[in-house]
Amino acid sequence: MSYYVCIHGHFYQPPRENPWLEEVELQEGAHPYHDWNEKITAECYAPNTASRILNSERKIIEIVNNYSKISFDFGPTLLLWLERHAPEVYQVIIETDKECQKKYSGHGPAIAQVYNHMIMPLANSRDKRTQVVWGIRDFEHRFGRKPEGMWLPETAVDLETLDIMAEYGIKFTILAPHQASRIRKIGEEKWNNVLGGNINPKMPYLCRLPSGRSISIFFYDQSVSLDVAFGDLLKNGENFALKIVRSFSQAQRQPQIVHIATDGETYGHHLKFGDMALSYCLHYIESRNLAQITIYGEYLEKNPPTYEVEIIENTSWSCFHGIERWRSDCGCRMGAEPEFKQEWRTHLREAMDWLGDRVNLIYEREMAQYIQDPWKARDDYIEVILDRSIENVERFLSKHSKKQLSKEEKVRVLKLLEMQRNALLMYTSCGWFFDEISGIESTQVMKYAARAMQLAREICGVDLEPDYLKILEKAPSNIPEYQNGARVYDLLVRPSITDLLRVGAHYAISSIFGEYKETQKIYCYTAKNEAYENLEAENKKFAVGRVRLRSDITWEESVVSFAVLHFGDQNLIVGVREFMDRKSFSQMCKETKKAFLKGDFSKVADLINKYFEKQVYSLSQLFRDEQIKILSRILEPTQKKIENLFLQIYRNNYPIIQTLNEMGISLPQTLASVIEFTLNNALRKSLEDEDSNIEELKKLVSEMKKRSIEPDKTDMGFVASQKINKLMDRLAQAPQDSSLLENIVKTLNILSVFPLELNLW
């Protein structure tokens, strides 16, 4: 068969971790999910591991792993998150690549990706090299083999980047047709102009590089790719397949490949059920023997390039103006707010470039005291990022250091490397892609910059922040309250900045709301309890203690003393400082406990201010997820009172409610609101209860329908989906349990009367 089809999915999300915690905090925009990674995993990454193929009667005839039938790349930072938070999905992706090598002549469907989606033509040579090295090493660590191909972020390309990729053994990459300049048959002298996307995308091309190396390039089919990404092609898998098959050229005699490339998130996140359109498309092509499904590595081995190509440098797939979207107000934008301007992009880029130059000078100067080759050490630092065990970090330090390093010197070296890591992460492309500088993507890259500046300050006492903010002041926000980039930084970035004292405050506050072990993990910190006492009186709580805190990233340590007084509501005061001497600590403990036991709470607060020299914190210093958890706990008694009161009103007035309904008289709004809240609350609790009674659920739903009460489609749909999926997990463990299966079917039938958005893949 001379017809081949390859569908490539570029799966990527920007790194979203808080740079001080190394975890993604709650993101309100992803509701009802915790964050965007979790939401997109549920809508896309997970469903593509087990996508349903339906027949004409809409019955499932097959469930397939889409990753086994496409070419794909996953961002290394996304794979890190999946490994930690969605290990089953992660494992399927890794295993798929191994298993498919048998099917694809020894080639795997996975290709590598530049590490953190940096726009490579805008990077300096050192950063380009590190991005390629980190991307390759991350791939090797996860997939257990060398990558054959590598995806360039936004397909932004220049010859130097291609040369570095080829130097490290990358055989091919994928570009858009309009990124080709001219072609010629290998061995011939005459070039043919293919500007404007007029290149034949059905074959690979050889690109010769300045060093004498070369790399192969596949130019994807733009027409089909655009229809998938922005048209309605994914509404029907058969139409999708036919569009691909009709793209083959009847005039071309040699083997040809129709291949497309889009964001992988298109298949389920951007378009619901997109994964099913993809699986049916491939099923349709295979079952009718219309073409052979392949991947780039296999096709390239069997059909090496017969033509060579010259590319247009500084171009990309998502900016009509080349790469201007990531450094100027070029006009490329999402367009949700037509009046928004993007002049801020220029100044954000300027601020990052200015900062990058400064931290590089600090790094090179300071690191030279301890490390043989600072830049080689940075390239190898990916080994530590992938495995932060003490043994592995010690191995890394021993390999690169000039001498035996002291404990303090090891901390300095790790801080310098972390400063560099954050200086690379601050160039993640998404920071410039969208329309407003106060968006979560732009503030995220500013957080990486803030972390890099904090580390520079700790290492050598240089404060880069004032000059950095002067540049950001020139970056106008489209939202009046934010004014400019510096104001955005103050409002949305600065509150996230954390040090060991703030970690101590978090530890102290959290400790009075739940028991802590002797050694406790707090995100990327380890807290070891050295002394702790807590007291309760009336509804007040008091705790005092000493804790040793250690960063698992930089190995920085500090022993802090603390005292915390909780007044029984959202008000509390906590004092934290580096450990005072034992005599002062003992005196502080004695005086504060005495005042608390006497019920003199104002004196306790005064003593905290005195002993901690006004280094006092409040609930706002807690990290985001813990804030929500504790506030929920504080509100829980009030919430229960409201629920019980509304339930009592509902029960006491049930006869009159029935009478009004029978007489066709509308309920007073106050009473209607009570009923709606009570029934919705009862439905949520029933669905959250693992052993809920089917008959009670049926009566509850019937009551809601009778009163024309509709549950919230999104929130209740999320809870109901979790309910069904938990029951299905139980069934998977006990498939012989017919009563459990019957309960699942009944639950689905009962809930079917509501237009809930159930995720049942």
Side-chain angles (χ1 to χ4, degrees):
M1 182 185 291
S2 60
Y3 288 175
Y4 296 85
V5 167
C6 177
I7 294 176
H8 183 81
H10 165 52
F11 294 91
Y12 163 75
Q13 288 300 301
R16 294 189 166 100
E17 286 78 6
N18 177 318
W20 292 270
L21 305 180
E22 298 295 329
E23 284 291 350
V24 181
E25 295 184 284
L26 180 76
Q27 295 176 314
E28 301 284 358
H31 182 81
Y33 296 92
H34 176 270
D35 54 71
W36 283 102
N37 284 358
E38 186 179 283
K39 178 179 174 66
I40 296 167
T41 298
E43 294 175 349
C44 175
Y45 308 140
N48 276 289
T49 67
S51 184
R52 296 160 289 174
I53 296 176
L54 308 183
N55 63 13
S56 57
E57 298 173 350
R58 297 193 60 77
K59 290 186 177 180
I60 298 172
I61 57 171
E62 194 175 350
I63 295 178
V64 298
N65 172 7
N66 280 341
Y67 298 114
S68 69
K69 296 177 180 291
I70 65 172
S71 167
F72 61 83
D73 70 277
F74 268 85
T77 55
L78 174 59
L79 284 175
L80 177 64
W81 185 91
L82 287 169
E83 183 181 23
R84 290 175 178 172
H85 300 283
E88 291 181 3
V89 176
Y90 173 81
Q91 205 55 47
V92 170
I93 293 164
I94 301 302
E95 290 302 320
T96 296
D97 181 75
K98 291 177 182 174
E99 292 168 6
C100 285
Q101 291 174 40
K102 304 168 192 171
K103 182 167 67 171
Y104 296 122
S105 312
H107 303 270
I111 69 171
Q113 184 188 128
V114 166
Y115 188 75
N116 66 270
H117 221 262
M118 181 185 287
I119 299 301
M120 295 294 272
L122 290 174
N124 62 47
S125 298
R126 279 201 190 107
D127 287 357
K128 286 175 183 172
R129 182 171 297 276
T130 301
Q131 287 284 310
V132 170
V133 169
W134 284 14
I136 290 172
R137 299 251 190 104
D138 188 275
F139 184 95
E140 291 171 345
H141 170 81
R142 299 181 188 286
F143 292 96
R145 65 175 178 86
K146 292 185 179 298
E148 295 182 272
M150 176 169 264
W151 180 269
L152 288 169
E154 305 292 344
T155 74
V157 69
D158 65 342
L159 289 173
E160 184 182 39
T161 298
L162 293 177
D163 221 336
I164 293 170
M165 288 161 60
E167 178 186 345
Y168 285 93
I170 297 299
K171 296 177 182 177
F172 68 87
T173 192
I174 307 155
L175 298 180
H178 65 262
Q179 294 179 271
S181 170
R182 56 182 189 165
I183 63 170
R184 67 180 176 188
K185 195 163 188 177
I186 293 174
E188 295 184 357
E189 292 187 7
K190 184 183 176 185
W191 288 95
N192 295 306
N193 188 316
V194 291
L195 292 171
N198 291 314
I199 192 170
N200 177 7
K202 298 175 182 65
M203 63 175 80
Y205 294 82
L206 188 71
C207 180
R208 302 189 191 277
L209 302 167
S211 65
R213 303 182 188 95
S214 61
I215 192 169
S216 294
I217 300 177
F218 288 89
F219 295 90
Y220 62 78
D221 187 302
Q222 185 139 344
S223 173
V224 184
S225 298
L226 287 175
D227 274 358
V228 169
F230 305 109
D232 59 2
L233 207 53
L234 290 189
K235 291 182 178 177
N236 185 293
E238 182 178 338
N239 290 344
F240 185 10
L242 292 174
K243 176 83 172 181
I244 289 174
V245 172
R246 288 166 185 162
S247 298
F248 286 109
S249 170
Q250 301 301 315
Q252 185 173 320
R253 293 188 176 181
Q254 66 268 36
Q256 52 185 301
I257 180 172
V258 171
H259 62 103
I260 66 170
T262 65
D263 287 336
E265 291 75 19
T266 304
Y267 304 110
H269 171 59
H270 297 319
L271 187 69
K272 194 173 184 180
F273 306 125
D275 66 291
M276 294 173 66
L278 173 62
S279 57
Y280 192 85
C281 163
L282 294 166
H283 168 77
Y284 189 91
I285 291 170
E286 282 188 305
S287 63
R288 288 162 176 76
N289 203 29
L290 300 176
Q292 182 175 327
I293 305 300
T294 189
I295 56 172
Y296 290 115
E298 180 185 51
Y299 189 83
L300 188 62
E301 180 189 16
K302 294 180 178 179
N303 302 280
T306 55
Y307 279 76
E308 60 181 296
V309 65
E310 287 186 350
I311 62 159
I312 306 173
E313 291 195 271
N314 300 326
T315 54
S316 67
W317 76 345
S318 53
C319 177
F320 181 76
H321 314 90
I323 53 173
E324 295 307 307
R325 185 169 192 157
W326 298 277
R327 65 178 176 187
S328 70
D329 185 4
C330 67
C332 289
R333 53 211 292 278
M334 300 303 288
E337 303 289 343
E339 71 278 9
F340 277 19
K341 305 295 181 187
Q342 283 75 52
E343 182 189 338
W344 58 268
R345 288 175 178 159
T346 301
H347 305 294
L348 182 60
R349 173 67 57 178
E350 180 190 354
M352 297 304 191
D353 285 344
W354 177 88
L355 179 58
D357 290 343
R358 269 64 188 174
V359 298
N360 284 346
L361 289 171
I362 292 170
Y363 176 78
E364 198 164 43
R365 182 185 70 235
E366 298 292 327
M367 200 66 143
Q369 301 173 55
Y370 314 110
I371 298 297
Q372 299 167 37
D373 183 339
W375 298 109
K376 176 67 167 64
R378 186 180 79 164
D379 286 347
D380 287 348
Y381 188 55
I382 184 65
E383 298 168 10
V384 172
I385 296 169
L386 291 167
D387 177 7
R388 293 193 181 273
S389 66
I390 292 173
E391 298 78 15
N392 188 55
V393 177
E394 290 285 12
R395 247 189 323 269
F396 170 85
L397 293 171
S398 176
K399 174 183 173 183
H400 288 281
S401 58
K402 288 180 174 180
K403 57 176 184 174
Q404 186 72 31
L405 299 177
S406 68
K407 184 177 179 181
E408 292 73 21
E409 287 172 332
K410 289 175 183 177
V411 171
R412 284 178 66 81
V413 167
L414 291 173
K415 282 188 173 184
L416 284 161
L417 287 162
E418 277 302 298
M419 180 182 72
Q420 279 294 315
R421 181 171 76 100
N422 282 276
L424 290 169
L425 290 168
M426 74 188 188
Y427 280 113
T428 302
S429 68
C430 304
W432 287 264
F433 189 83
F434 297 92
D435 296 354
E436 166 55 22
I437 193 171
S438 62
I440 60 172
E441 297 83 8
S442 300
T443 55
Q444 181 71 20
V445 296
M446 283 189 255
K447 286 177 183 177
Y448 292 126
R451 178 60 175 149
M453 289 187 286
Q454 181 190 43
L455 289 164
R457 191 162 49 247
E458 292 174 359
I459 292 161
C460 60
V462 175
D463 191 358
L464 300 171
E465 193 177 74
D467 288 335
Y468 176 78
L469 291 179
K470 280 181 185 175
I471 301 172
L472 282 185
E473 279 180 4
K474 299 186 290 183
S477 168
N478 293 288
I479 300 172
E481 68 185 273
Y482 290 125
Q483 300 172 22
N484 56 54
R487 176 78 170 154
V488 169
Y489 183 95
D490 283 336
L491 293 175
L492 303 179
V493 175
R494 197 181 297 283
S496 294
I497 296 175
T498 295
D499 56 18
L500 286 178
L501 283 181
R502 184 174 174 188
V503 177
H506 179 95
Y507 177 91
I509 297 168
S510 299
S511 72
I512 64 172
F513 289 97
E515 288 187 15
Y516 265 169
K517 301 172 186 173
E518 185 178 338
T519 300
Q520 182 75 30
K521 288 283 289 180
I522 302 174
Y523 295 102
C524 59
Y525 301 90
T526 299
K528 189 171 183 180
N529 181 8
E530 294 191 347
Y532 186 81
E533 286 186 80
N534 63 346
L535 302 168
E536 288 192 40
E538 302 170 14
N539 64 336
K540 313 289 190 298
K541 292 181 180 180
F542 174 74
V544 63
R546 183 174 73 245
V547 62
R548 180 177 296 275
L549 299 168
R550 181 182 185 274
S551 166
D552 300 332
I553 307 296
T554 66
W555 291 10
E556 181 183 19
E557 279 191 16
S558 181
V559 178
V560 301
S561 311
F562 63 85
V564 56
L565 173 64
H566 178 225
F567 292 96
D569 50 20
Q570 78 280 9
N571 293 310
L572 55 80
I573 180 173
V574 56
V576 181
R577 58 174 290 177
E578 288 190 2
F579 181 58
M580 54 187 80
D581 61 85
R582 289 186 179 276
K583 183 178 178 182
S584 299
F585 177 72
S586 178
Q587 185 66 25
M588 181 271 295
C589 292
K590 182 179 178 181
E591 290 186 28
T592 50
K593 285 192 294 182
K594 183 179 178 182
F596 183 82
L597 290 171
K598 281 186 174 182
D600 194 347
F601 305 121
S602 60
K603 186 174 182 182
V604 177
D606 289 341
L607 287 167
I608 289 174
N609 274 306
K610 170 191 166 185
Y611 277 102
F612 292 91
E613 299 170 349
K614 298 192 176 178
Q615 292 188 81
V616 294
Y617 297 81
S618 66
L619 204 58
S620 62
Q621 267 65 49
L622 274 173
F623 303 130
R624 183 70 170 160
D625 284 19
E626 192 72 8
Q627 276 182 353
I628 293 165
K629 188 193 300 182
I630 288 176
L631 284 169
S632 296
R633 192 174 297 178
I634 291 169
L635 284 170
E636 190 175 352
T638 303
Q639 182 75 11
K640 282 185 177 177
K641 283 180 184 176
I642 293 171
E643 290 174 8
N644 290 334
L645 179 61
F646 275 34
L647 181 59
Q648 186 179 349
I649 293 170
Y650 174 67
R651 285 174 175 168
N652 290 346
N653 291 279
Y654 191 78
I656 188 69
I657 292 169
Q658 288 288 80
T659 301
L660 288 170
N661 276 336
E662 289 167 7
M663 295 173 67
I665 299 172
S666 298
L667 292 171
Q669 183 59 46
T670 49
L671 196 53
S673 298
V674 167
I675 296 169
E676 184 175 357
F677 171 85
T678 301
L679 293 179
N680 263 297
N681 190 54
L683 178 60
R684 174 182 286 276
K685 286 188 172 182
S686 177
L687 292 172
E688 288 174 342
D689 183 359
E690 285 191 15
D691 300 308
S692 58
N693 185 292
I694 291 291
E695 289 306 312
E696 285 182 8
L697 179 65
K698 187 176 181 180
K699 287 177 185 175
L700 183 57
V701 169
S702 175
E703 185 77 4
M704 292 179 73
K705 288 303 290 181
K706 184 169 68 175
R707 307 198 183 288
S708 301
I709 294 172
E710 293 284 325
D712 181 275
K713 282 199 298 185
T714 304
D715 280 15
M716 206 66 78
F718 180 73
V719 174
S721 298
Q722 288 188 313
K723 169 78 171 181
I724 299 298
N725 290 328
K726 283 177 182 175
L727 290 172
M728 289 299 292
D729 284 339
R730 284 169 58 186
L731 182 63
Q733 300 303 315
Q736 73 285 355
D737 189 344
S738 58
S739 62
L740 179 56
L741 181 57
E742 190 176 339
N743 278 349
I744 293 169
V745 174
K746 284 180 178 178
T747 301
L748 281 168
N749 285 335
I750 291 167
L751 294 174
S752 66
V753 299
F754 294 132
L756 297 176
E757 296 177 359
L758 298 179
N759 185 347
L760 300 176
W761 70 269

